[in-house]
């Protein structure tokens, strides 16, 4: 966040991505949604799994209407991108985070299905001392009210993504 995009097509980065792919690791992407079209095409040319953090960081004023968020939704067809449902309060004011997170989760569930969504508490909530783990966990229960679907996001998808199912 807040840093320029490195030359990801350069030889050192390509070598790093090859090593990441060989280890079965993933690349975590944390940047504003508006910059996703700049970086995802490069990452999609690698064999790496890609995890986009914090709902893709849509602009607070735009929410799911953010063109970068729409681009993220469209990337579901690649089969190489996962999205982390975490830190809604980093995207929207705390009073709006639950409702905006619900809308974003619905759009992401429709596009990605629960098999490519993961949840993160974002604990210890740096720079947000008023946020508590219990509250973020309750948000997830509201966003995904079906316990079977929620289990996929909480248990099954991370087990596959992080190779804990072997």
């Amino acid at each position: 966040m807040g840093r320029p995009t490195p030359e990801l097509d350069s030889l050192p980065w390509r070598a790093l991505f090859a090593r990441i792919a060989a280890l079965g690791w993933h690349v975590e992407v944390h940047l504003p949604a508006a910059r996703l079209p700049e970086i995802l095409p490069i990452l999609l040319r690698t064999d790496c799994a890609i995890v986009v953090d914090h709902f893709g960081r849509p602009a607070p004023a735009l929410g799911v209407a953010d063109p970068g968020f729409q681009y993220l939704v469209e990337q579901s067809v690649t089969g190489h991108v996962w999205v982390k449902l975490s830190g809604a309060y980093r995207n929207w004011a705390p009073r709006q985070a639950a409702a905006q997170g619900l809308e974003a989760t619905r759009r992401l569930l429709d596009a990605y299905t629960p098999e490519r969504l993961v949840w993160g508490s974002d604990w210890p909530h740096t720079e947000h001392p008023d946020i508590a783990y219990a509250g973020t966990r309750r948000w997830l229960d509201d966003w995904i009210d079906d316990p079977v679907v929620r289990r996929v996001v909480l248990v099954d998808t991370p087990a596959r993504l992080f190779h804990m199912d072997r």
Side-chain angles (χ1 to χ4, degrees), residues 75-150:
Q75 299 316 298
S76 66
V77 299
T78 68
H80 295 285
V81 178
W82 284 255
V83 180
K84 194 183 297 179
L85 308 175
S86 68
Y89 58 86
R90 294 191 183 280
N91 300 327
W92 303 287
R95 283 182 288 207
Q96 299 170 332
Q100 293 290 329
L102 173 62
E103 182 62 28
T105 298
R106 286 181 177 162
R107 302 274 177 104
L108 293 167
L109 273 170
D110 286 345
Y112 282 88
T113 75
E115 286 76 17
R116 289 212 328 278
L117 297 178
V118 295
W119 178 76
S121 70
D122 203 37
W123 184 88
H125 315 294
T126 56
E127 300 178 9
H128 295 271
D130 296 336
I131 300 297
Y133 171 86
T136 63
R137 183 59 182 81
R138 277 192 303 276
W139 287 348
L140 178 67
D141 290 345
D142 293 339
W143 299 337
I144 304 175
D145 59 358
D146 182 330
V148 174
V149 174
R150 195 168 50 244

